[in-house]
Amino acid sequence: RQITQVYGFYAECVKKYGEPTVWREITDLFDFLPVSALIDDAIFCVHGGLSPSLLTLDQLALLDRFHEVPAEGGLADLVWSDPDPIRLGFNPSSRGAGYTFGSDVVARFLHANELLHVLRAHQLCMEGYQVLFENSLSTVWSAPNYCYRCGNMACVLEVDVTLDFFFNVFGPAPASERDTLNLKLQPEEPQYFL
């Protein structure tokens, strides 16, 4: 719940609805959302990344998912870990949660689980997406101009029936459209970084 307060979701709900009930209900709902998914038993989809304590999909299935993501452990790693294009293995993350992991970790995970690809989000990509480790891992970022200040592109990924990827890249709405929409929905932009 703390991260939703740091990045403005709590403030946005209180500002729009006058009190935190909507925020509380939505964050309670988050505790029941799946932490990962498989596409056609070939593509492992997850918010963050991989964990040194969860090497197989069978181990992942045993997680107690239905509570707030803890500060550490396998569930936290799936939510907060990031790939490292330079270093191998698992290494402590500078974010303070999860790990960074190298191409060797991805290769072992894919081999052990008979998968083809890891698909993730969680990490800002200036071009909207990034493909690493000889096309075995992709990061897709879906928020253009993140926090109204990063100037990044965004992407929605399509996976077709043959498991080919199509990265649909887009930018923010033109300023005139954003301004019109903001006037209708919200008198000012959220102040994520005060």
Side-chain angles (χ1 to χ4, degrees), residues 89-136:
F90 283 102
N91 296 284
S93 173
S94 61
R95 292 181 191 264
Y99 292 87
T100 62
F101 55 92
S103 60
D104 59 327
V105 171
V106 174
R108 277 195 308 271
F109 181 82
L110 294 174
H111 178 76
N113 293 288
E114 299 179 5
L115 299 170
L116 300 176
H117 200 85
V118 174
L119 179 58
R120 62 180 297 276
H122 176 59
Q123 197 171 19
L124 178 68
C125 300
M126 292 306 293
E127 302 303 318
Y129 71 97
Q130 182 179 40
V131 180
L132 294 173
F133 309 144
E134 298 178 5
N135 198 32
S136 64

Side-chain angles (χ1 to χ4, degrees), residues 10 13 16 34 39 45 55 69 85 94 119 151 159 183 190:
Y10 175 85
C13 288
K16 185 169 185 170
I39 298 174
C45 306
L55 306 176
V69 175
S94 61
L119 179 58
V159 179
L183 288 174

Side-chain angles (χ1 to χ4, degrees), residues 2 8-9 17-18 27 47 50 57 72 76 88 105 115 123 132 135 142 155 161 166 170 173-174 186:
Q2 182 181 6
F9 183 60
Y17 300 105
T27 55
H47 176 75
L50 302 177
L57 296 179
E72 57 185 28
L88 298 177
V105 171
L115 299 170
Q123 197 171 19
L132 294 173
N135 198 32
S142 61
C155 179
V161 295
F166 180 74
F170 58 95
Q186 189 176 47

Side-chain angles (χ1 to χ4, degrees), residues 7 22 57 140 152 155 175 190:
Y7 286 98
V22 170
L57 296 179
V140 176
N152 62 286
C155 179

Side-chain angles (χ1 to χ4, degrees), residues 17-33:
Y17 300 105
E19 46 99 21
T21 301
V22 170
W23 169 81
R24 195 173 303 110
E25 295 294 327
I26 291 173
T27 55
D28 286 348
L29 176 65
F30 287 165
D31 297 343
F32 291 90
L33 296 176

